Amino acid sequence: MTARDKYKVEETPQSVSLQPHYHLLKSLFWFFIAIVGTAGAIFIFYRQLGEGGRVLGYSIVAYLILHGLYDYIFRVNVRYVFDKTGNAVYKINAPFPKKRLMPLDQLVIFTSTEQCSWHYAMGARKKQFIKSYAISEAFGSGKKSERLLGAYEAEVLEPILRLSATSSIRQD
């Protein structure tokens, strides 16, 4: 799987769009397996569990369903569009209306560090540390992470930088 597939990058001469958390779709599959497994265990061992065990099982299933829906709606489903004709960066999330985040010529892409890993983020110039948006997965310090980073920079980041008026990457 290439980085373009991993981030669902769509490129036209006037725009670039990507889903930075699309890779989480695999983890949602495992959430589904855990929900089915837990629900099956509750059904099979219904009488042996007792009331407390059933309530715990239902609580786990409810948590997994809500967490999976939250991840799908607010993370996996989010698409950022860098539009040169409209000179804007948009956030598109299916159940919500299209939102204009910032002018494209105010775009700053920088690295953000959190808990021993880092990722690329974007924000409006002079406000990038107040409100920023992650546009990559977290990268670590291993060889696999370096390979993923090289693919990300070449296949995803370069088209965005070519399209934007400001091609600056700043260190956090």
Side-chain angles (χ1 to χ4, degrees), residues 1-43:
M1 176 185 284
T2 66
R4 293 181 72 82
D5 296 335
K6 189 175 186 177
Y7 292 96
K8 281 192 78 172
V9 175
E10 296 174 2
E11 185 176 2
T12 66
Q14 298 300 316
S15 71
V16 175
S17 68
L18 71 123
Q19 285 181 271
H21 300 292
Y22 186 73
H23 63 279
L24 294 176
L25 201 56
K26 282 191 280 186
S27 68
L28 291 179
F29 172 75
W30 291 109
F31 267 88
F32 179 73
I33 296 297
I35 290 168
V36 170
T38 306
I42 293 170
F43 180 74

Side-chain angles (χ1 to χ4, degrees), residues 113-162:
T113 306
E114 293 178 8
Q115 299 177 356
C116 300
S117 64
W118 63 276
H119 63 272
Y120 281 105
M122 69 174 176
R125 185 176 296 134
K126 297 183 181 178
K127 297 178 187 174
Q128 71 265 25
F129 300 117
I130 298 170
K131 181 66 176 174
S132 63
Y133 304 91
I135 58 171
S136 75
E137 66 179 315
F139 298 107
S141 59
K143 289 184 180 182
K144 180 181 177 185
S145 189
E146 287 178 16
R147 191 181 78 247
L148 293 173
L149 173 63
Y152 176 81
E153 288 176 344
E155 298 176 29
V156 179
L157 195 58
E158 283 299 317
I160 294 170
L161 294 176
R162 273 186 304 208

Side-chain angles (χ1 to χ4, degrees), residues 23-102:
H23 63 279
L24 294 176
L25 201 56
K26 282 191 280 186
S27 68
L28 291 179
F29 172 75
W30 291 109
F31 267 88
F32 179 73
I33 296 297
I35 290 168
V36 170
T38 306
I42 293 170
F43 180 74
I44 292 170
F45 300 108
Y46 188 79
R47 291 182 190 244
Q48 291 91 346
L49 286 175
E51 187 177 343
R54 287 191 296 265
V55 168
L56 178 63
Y58 295 145
S59 300
I60 291 171
V61 169
Y63 170 77
L64 290 173
I65 288 172
L66 291 174
H67 194 286
L69 281 174
Y70 177 83
D71 276 354
Y72 181 74
I73 292 171
F74 295 107
R75 295 184 76 194
V76 173
N77 204 27
V78 173
R79 175 174 288 281
Y80 295 114
V81 179
F82 303 86
D83 186 16
K84 190 171 187 174
T85 58
N87 188 34
V89 178
Y90 297 103
K91 178 181 177 180
I92 299 173
N93 194 352
F96 305 107
K98 183 177 182 179
K99 181 180 178 184
R100 186 175 193 268
L101 298 178
M102 66 194 83

